[in-house]
């Protein structure tokens, strides 16, 4: 501990620690943001600084003498354990956040990001989104995301605006949703618990949007997994410390679908998760990663409850520039990054005021389609049933209505027990009872649901 305390001042900036041990991982401050520091990197630094270190001791005669510390693998390993205690950061701290007990650079005491308002780290300082003021960088802000260029309040992005107008000429809500998503990713927040899904044909602009956002957050904050890899044993480890994961050309097979859906719900839902890492201890915590999926068609997630579909904000594209691409577009947009940053900050300000991401009308339609594809029972309930505490129906009668609807829709009806399980996923307030009829016999009955009458179905179809 004495050696660890002696070395800790080497990791300070104006008296504030720049080395932390957080959730089993070493983190170091890289001037604008915090990044993971590998064990081998820290071990190499310790060997270098202790190679010629000496310490005072007392020999057998009781006389003082100077001895060489002589680092060994055992000594360095013990020192790293002691240093972890000195540099400990509570695992409950979720970035971005001001470190408790340390002052921020805005003239206030330490507070959470939610109370202080979002702060975006740029190359030339920390930008307060509320009043667009810049302050000096400080390790008191535990943030994992930084913008790799300067903030310029006068910068514009005419090429970017023109590009977006060509993508959604008649759907300004889609542009607003994308603008808010860009600001949301920059802020480091995860509270919206949403996944952005961009669907469109080849060469429709999906990749260009992803590249622009990747440039905005910086290559070090980007991961590029596949949907299938998320379901593997070590598939989540590349997401550690990454603020954005772009999943291109999303494809999913039935075998790994349930595991992938579970992982998507956990990540987007800010749930604590154990992540296996090769040759290292598992990591436990909440991933700071926002998920962005690109696909040529709406993906089919096998989820009987349909919950996963409601996690998506869907942006649909219809036009394709295949064979007439502008090969200079990426370079033009790269030159407008400071202006695109201002555009994203405007989206973040709007998100702060409304409290939720804009959902275009086309997104709601796509989410309903995904929900019906993932959970046919969800479509059955919406099309053929009424839900409420006053409704009831015998199990056999609802089973007959379901089989008729499933046959008309070309869907295997499954079993009566499977229908009951799936109904409970879609209608949580559903209850099963066995009331006695006039003849004294008990009839299995669903409480909280009933099939529509024929007249109501016809009226709904006409509408």
């Amino acid at each position: 501990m004495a050696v660890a305390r002696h070395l800790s001042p080497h990791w300070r900036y104006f008296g504030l620690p720049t080395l932390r041990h957080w959730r089993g991982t070493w983190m170091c401050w890289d001037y604008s943001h915090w990044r993971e520091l590998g064990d081998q990197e820290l071990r190499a630094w310790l060997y270098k600084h202790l190679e010629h270190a000496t310490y005072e001791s007392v020999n057998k005669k009781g006389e003082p003498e100077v001895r060489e510390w002589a680092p060994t693998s055992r000594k360095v390993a013990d020192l790293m354990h002691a240093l972890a205690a000195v540099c400990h950061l509570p695992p409950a701290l979720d970035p971005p956040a001001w470190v408790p007990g340390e002052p921020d650079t805005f003239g206030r005491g330490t507070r959470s990001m939610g109370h202080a308002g979002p702060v975006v780290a740029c190359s030339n300082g920390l930008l307060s989104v509320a009043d667009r003021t810049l302050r000096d960088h400080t390790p008191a802000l535990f943030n994992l995301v930084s913008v790799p260029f300067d903030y310029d309040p006068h910068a514009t992005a005419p090429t970017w605006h023109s590009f977006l107008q060509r993508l959604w000429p008649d759907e300004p809500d889609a542009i607003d949703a994308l603008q808010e998503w860009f600001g949301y990713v920059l802020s480091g927040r995860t509270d919206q618990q949403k996944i952005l899904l961009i669907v469109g044909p080849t060469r429709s602009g999906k990749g260009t949007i992803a590249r622009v956002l990747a440039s905005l957050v910086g290559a070090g904050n980007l991961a590029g997994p596949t949907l299938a890899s998320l379901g593997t044993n070590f598939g989540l480890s590349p997401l550690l410390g990454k603020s954005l994961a772009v999943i291109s050309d999303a494809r999913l097979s039935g075998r790994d679908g349930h595991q992938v859906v579970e992982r998507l719900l956990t990540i987007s839902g800010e749930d604590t998760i154990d992540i296996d890492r090769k040759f290292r201890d598992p990591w436990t915590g909440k991933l700071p990663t926002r998920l962005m999926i690109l696909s040529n068609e709406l993906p089919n997630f096998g989820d009987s409850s349909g919950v996963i579909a409601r996690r998506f904000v869907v942006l649909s594209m219809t036009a394709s520039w295949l064979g007439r691409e502008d090969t200079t577009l990426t370079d033009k947009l790269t030159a407008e990054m400071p202006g695109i940053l201002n555009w994203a900050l405007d989206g973040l300000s709007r998100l702060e005021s409304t409290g939720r991401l804009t959902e275009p009308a086309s997104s709601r339609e796509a989410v309903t389609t995904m929900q019906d594809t993932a959970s046919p029972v969800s479509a059955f309930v919406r099309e053929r049933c009424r839900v409420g505490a006053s409704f009831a129906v015998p199990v056999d009668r609802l089973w007959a209505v379901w089989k008729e609807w499933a046959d008309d829709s070309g869907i295997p009806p499954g079993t009566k027990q499977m229908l009951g399980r799936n109904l409970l996923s879609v209608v949580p307030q559903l209850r099963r009872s066995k009331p006695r009829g006039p003849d004294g016999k008990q009839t299995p009955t669903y409480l909280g649901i009933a099939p529509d009458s024929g007249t109501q179905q016809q009226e709904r179809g006409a509408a």
Side-chain angles (χ1 to χ4, degrees), residues 4 90 110 123 150 159 180 210 225 286 359 362 403 435 445 453 457 461:
T110 300
S123 296
D150 289 351
T159 306
E180 291 164 7
K286 301 175 184 178
E359 189 173 9
S362 60
K403 283 202 302 182
T445 302
S453 65
Q457 293 175 28

Side-chain angles (χ1 to χ4, degrees), residues 241-257:
K242 307 297 184 182
S243 62
L244 176 67
V246 177
I247 303 172
S248 303
D249 193 20
R251 299 178 187 275
L252 193 63
S253 66
R255 292 180 300 174
D256 50 19

Side-chain angles (χ1 to χ4, degrees), residues 199-212:
V199 179
T202 303
R203 296 294 186 270
S204 59
K206 305 186 299 294
T208 300
I209 291 175
R211 285 191 293 273
V212 169

Side-chain angles (χ1 to χ4, degrees), residues 39 175 258 363 386:
D39 289 353
I175 298 178
H258 294 294
S363 175
R386 293 168 292 169

Side-chain angles (χ1 to χ4, degrees), residues 163-232:
F163 169 70
L164 296 179
Q165 287 295 330
R166 282 185 292 158
L167 295 183
W168 296 289
D170 302 317
E171 198 172 9
D173 283 352
I175 298 178
D176 289 345
L178 185 67
Q179 184 180 20
E180 291 164 7
W181 177 263
F182 270 51
Y184 177 60
V185 172
L186 288 181
S187 70
R189 293 169 49 182
T190 57
D191 59 294
Q192 292 295 307
Q193 300 185 1
K194 289 290 186 178
I195 302 171
L196 183 68
L197 172 62
I198 303 182
V199 179
T202 303
R203 296 294 186 270
S204 59
K206 305 186 299 294
T208 300
I209 291 175
R211 285 191 293 273
V212 169
L213 184 53
S215 298
L216 204 59
V217 301
N221 296 311
L222 178 69
T226 63
L227 274 181
S229 70
L230 296 181
T232 61

Side-chain angles (χ1 to χ4, degrees), residues 48-68:
K48 178 180 178 181
H49 281 74
L50 295 171
E51 180 181 4
H52 304 294
T54 59
Y55 68 98
E56 293 183 357
S57 181
V58 178
N59 60 22
K60 295 180 179 179
K61 299 179 180 180
E63 300 171 343
E65 66 177 13
V66 176
R67 296 182 180 178
E68 293 185 356

Side-chain angles (χ1 to χ4, degrees), residues 72-230:
T72 64
S73 59
R74 174 62 182 273
K75 286 183 178 180
V76 171
D78 290 345
L79 177 57
M80 290 178 69
H81 282 293
L83 197 59
V86 173
C87 302
H88 176 73
L89 191 64
L93 187 71
D94 290 320
W98 297 104
V99 179
E102 296 177 5
D104 62 30
T105 60
F106 292 87
R108 301 172 296 225
T110 300
R111 56 180 67 183
S112 69
M113 291 296 291
H115 294 105
V119 175
V120 176
C122 304
S123 296
N124 57 341
L126 296 178
L127 176 67
S128 173
V129 175
D131 55 12
R132 301 293 172 92
T133 56
L134 275 174
R135 296 292 188 274
D136 293 336
H137 288 290
T138 172
L141 178 64
F142 189 64
N143 63 312
L144 308 181
V145 183
S146 66
V147 177
F149 44 82
D150 289 351
Y151 166 66
D152 179 1
H154 306 295
T156 59
T159 306
W160 175 247
H161 288 288
S162 175
F163 169 70
L164 296 179
Q165 287 295 330
R166 282 185 292 158
L167 295 183
W168 296 289
D170 302 317
E171 198 172 9
D173 283 352
I175 298 178
D176 289 345
L178 185 67
Q179 184 180 20
E180 291 164 7
W181 177 263
F182 270 51
Y184 177 60
V185 172
L186 288 181
S187 70
R189 293 169 49 182
T190 57
D191 59 294
Q192 292 295 307
Q193 300 185 1
K194 289 290 186 178
I195 302 171
L196 183 68
L197 172 62
I198 303 182
V199 179
T202 303
R203 296 294 186 270
S204 59
K206 305 186 299 294
T208 300
I209 291 175
R211 285 191 293 273
V212 169
L213 184 53
S215 298
L216 204 59
V217 301
N221 296 311
L222 178 69
T226 63
L227 274 181
S229 70
L230 296 181

